[in-house]
Structure formats: structure tokens, C-alpha cells
Amino acid sequence: AVLRRRPAVLPAGSPLVQFRHCPGTTLEIRRMKEEVESLRHRCELLEQQQQTQRLIKFYASVKRTPIDIDQVVEKCRDPTYRQDVFCHRELPVILAHMIAMLDQLPGGLVAMKNVGKVRAMLSSAFLAVTECPVPQSEKQGAEFRKVLERVMGELEPVVQTMALAVLELRKLLTMHRQALNDDKATRIKLRSLHDVPDLQYSLDEFYLAFVQFKFLSLQLLQMAGSSSSENAKEPEKGKAEPEEVVGIVDTGIDLLEVVRSARHNAELVCTEHHGDCPDIDIELADADDGRAFVSHLSDHLNYILVELIKNSLRATVDTHMARNSLGMVDCSDMPPVKVRIVTNKSPDTATVIVSDQGGGIPREDMEKIMSYTYTSAPKSAHDGDEEPTLLAGYGYGLPMSRIHARIFGGDIMLHST
Ligand SMILES: Nc1ncnc2c1ncn2[C@@H]1O[C@H](COP(=O)(O)OP(=O)(O)OP(=O)(O)O)[C@@H](O)[C@H]1O
Ligand SMILES: [Mg+2]
């Protein structure tokens, strides 16, 4: 159009660049230049992404170091141990394994929008850690820990976002199933979330890796803020062993204290929900001196116990629901939830048995109980469309508790009689 308005009288063989004197053409060239620049930028980004993928692939091929709580404590007690260098090597390996696990999630879970979000968070964390120089000096160590702190904050929503991804898939499968069930002509039997092969295993492995990542990072950050010798405490009067906190590991956790604190937390939740709470009896079965100590993370133990006690309280209230004259839930006549600590006089292991008379678990549901999102809550959070802020009511209590128990070789077993 520009050329038509101002026909150019060009001597034969004039270069095209002569058009630049025409204001319209100058604009066109500038736009083209910008386009080329943006394409170049996109190519660079693509190249970077491919490079990151290659790096992730490499790190994912490196074997992960098994984590043993006693070994971690022993190493952290050694002042010459370079925990930061170990983390600099191990943490990207864990992140790369987690990304590889995401890419292989079964049953269509890999395609869920929220899995993409988690993948982006992990890739960005991976880059941040690998781009950090190996911490060989005090300054580099501090820089690495700063990066780690930021990364930990950015990865905070991982568990919740993965939970949303599982819900996304669950909704999709349910919608298809319902639509096709209504259609008598098709008669296709579609599977539900609980029938997806290997889903439970894949999610267990993913969360286990994530909890390990968090443990190593927090252990490093905590150790940097305190020396183990400063934390060693003299044994309290009447206590059989000294308490010593090494990083975030408490080598002398008094189980009775942890159970009492978990009882308090679970009672609060139940009372807030029902206005009342059944009794919770605690018994230490076989310790001579009335104390049982374990080496663990207090937060993990508290998490597991609160989840188990909460479940027992809910089962008890639901089964024995009775209301007083004012129509309020009255728990006074309900059978108590019992928490029994058994050490079998072993210095290394202890068992905590949480039992209730809340009607038990139907035999046909026993297999599903540990599945992510399985819940018998009458109005479960899955029904709502709004995004949850907590995992409560999503059927994550038991499977996540088992992950926290398994990270250091423990486990959770269910019995229903
Ligand atoms: N002590 C128990 N007695 C009877 N049923 C139980 C007991 N503990 C768990 N269950 C069953 O297992 C299901 C799954 O438990 P889980 O703790 O994983 O999820 P939730 O309690 O439903 O929700 P969340 O713990 O995420 O708030 C429960 O909904 C319940 O049906
Ligand atoms: Mg629960």
C-alpha cells in the first residue's frame, strides 16, 4: 500500500534497503526486527529448556543415596562432615527422580494441569540448586543455604497441588463413568481412580522422595544454625537418656510426651467439629522406668499420631452418636480411644497402637483405606468445586502418615476385627 501511494523511482539495481526512507516501510522493518529478536529469544529459551531436560535426565540416572536416620545423625555429629556438599549433590538427584516419576505417572494423571504445575515447580527448584556453585567456602555455603531456603518455600504447595491433580483425574474418570453408565447402549465398564494400576505405588514413591528432600534440606539448614554440641542437654531428673537434638532429629524423643501432645491436638480438632470429644486413654505397656525413647523427628511422629487418633475419634463419634437434651453431641458414654505404647524392651524400635470401638472397617474397603483420596466422609471435600486450603477430608491422612512412618524404616499396619 505504501508503494502504491509513493511510487519509488529507483535506478536499476538499487538495493531494497532504499525503501527505508519510506516511513511505513521503516515501521515494517522495525516490526520484523522485533519479530526476529523475539524468535531468537524463544529459540534460546527452547534450547535452555532442552538443556535442562538433558541435565534432569542425567541426574535422574544417578542412584539416590538411601537415608538412614542413625547414619545422618552420626555424620552430622562429625564437625568435618561436609553436609552442604552432600546436599548439593543429592538434592538435585532427588528432584530429578521426582520429575522422572511425574513423567511416568499412570492412568492419565501425568496429563493433569496440576501435575504440570508441580513439574514446573520442581524444574525451577532443580535449576536453582544446580546453578548454585558447589559450596566450598563459607560464603558459598551461605549462598547455597539461601537458595535452599527459597526453594523450600517455592515447593511448599507440592503436596497440595498433587492432591488437586489426583482429584482432577478422579473427577474426569467419574464424569465419564457416570455419563456412560447412563447410556444403556454403550455399556462400557470404565475404571475408577482406585482401579488405576500402580497409581498408589507411584504416588507413594513420589511423596517419599519429597519428604526425603525436605528432610535433608531442613537438616542442613538447621545444622547450619546450631552446632550439635550446643544442643546436647543434660538428662532431666528421672529420665533414662539424655535428650539431644541433631539438626531436626531428636535422638531422645519421649514417646509418652509426643502421644500426649498428639492427643491434645486431636481433641481440639474433634471438639471444634462436634463440640465434644470421646476420652483418649494412654498406656505405656512395658517400659521398666515408665519412659520410652526413640530417635526420630518430633513433627513426623506428631503428624502420624494426630491423624490416627483423629480417625479413631471420628469413627467412635459416628458409630456411637448420641445427643444431650440440648441436641448437642454428648461423648460421655462413648468407648474411649486407646493409645498403647509398646517397646518390647527394644532400644531401637517402638510400636504405638491406636485402637477404637468405632465399628471397624468393612472387609471390602480394607484395600482402599490407604488409597489417596479414599474417604468415607459423608460430605467429602471432593464434592466442592472450590480449591481446598487443607488436606482435611480428602482421604490423605492415612497414606501420608504411612509415608512419614516409612521414611526412616517404620510402617503403619491396619487391623479391623
Ligand atoms: N479407625 C478407623 N475406623 C474406621 N474407619 C477408619 C478408621 N481410620 C480410617 N478409616 C477409614 O479410612 C478412610 C481414610 O482415612 P484417611 O485418614 O486416609 O482419610 P480421612 O480421614 O477420610 O480424611 P483426612 O484424614 O484426609 O482428613 C476414612 O475416611 C475412614 O473411612
Ligand atoms: Mg483421616
Side-chain angles (χ1 to χ4, degrees), residues 162-163 166-167 170-171 174 177 192-195 199-200 203-204 207 307 311 314-315 318 359-383 391-402 414 416:
M162 276 304 282
V166 178
L167 285 183
R170 186 189 152 112
K171 272 186 189 159
T174 311
R177 237 193 13 260
S192 74
L193 189 70
H194 302 295
D195 304 326
L199 183 63
Q200 179 77 19
L203 288 172
D204 276 348
Y207 285 129
E307 289 304 322
N311 281 354
R314 198 191 119 207
D318 284 359
I361 298 157
R363 195 179 295 253
E364 64 273 19
D365 290 344
M366 214 47 192
E367 259 186 35
K368 296 186 214 152
I369 294 294
M370 281 290 179
S371 308
Y372 294 92
T373 78
Y374 175 79
T375 179
S376 61
K379 183 95 185 92
S380 79
H382 309 151
D383 305 329
L391 288 177
Y394 284 95
Y396 260 68
L398 282 179
M400 280 314 280
S401 296
R402 189 164 67 170
L414 298 172
S416 185

Side-chain angles (χ1 to χ4, degrees), residues 41-113:
H41 184 62
R42 270 153 60 188
C43 282
E44 271 172 21
L45 272 182
L46 215 67
E47 180 51 41
Q48 269 173 21
Q49 276 170 10
Q50 281 177 354
Q51 184 58 27
T52 309
Q53 288 316 312
R54 286 192 280 267
L55 205 60
I56 289 175
K57 215 169 156 191
F58 164 67
Y59 272 84
S61 70
V62 177
K63 224 170 157 237
R64 268 162 59 194
T65 312
I67 296 175
D68 176 273
I69 195 163
D70 294 330
Q71 271 178 21
V72 170
V73 167
E74 202 184 306
K75 282 184 179 157
C76 288
R77 277 182 178 141
D78 177 356
T80 61
Y81 175 57
R82 294 304 309 266
Q83 197 195 354
D84 48 2
V85 179
F86 170 73
C87 283
H88 188 275
R89 182 254 181 213
E90 189 65 21
L91 293 178
V93 172
I94 300 180
L95 289 170
H97 277 254
M98 286 172 72
I99 294 170
M101 286 177 207
L102 282 188
D103 289 345
Q104 284 162 20
L105 282 175
L109 187 57
V110 63
M112 297 299 112
K113 186 179 79 216

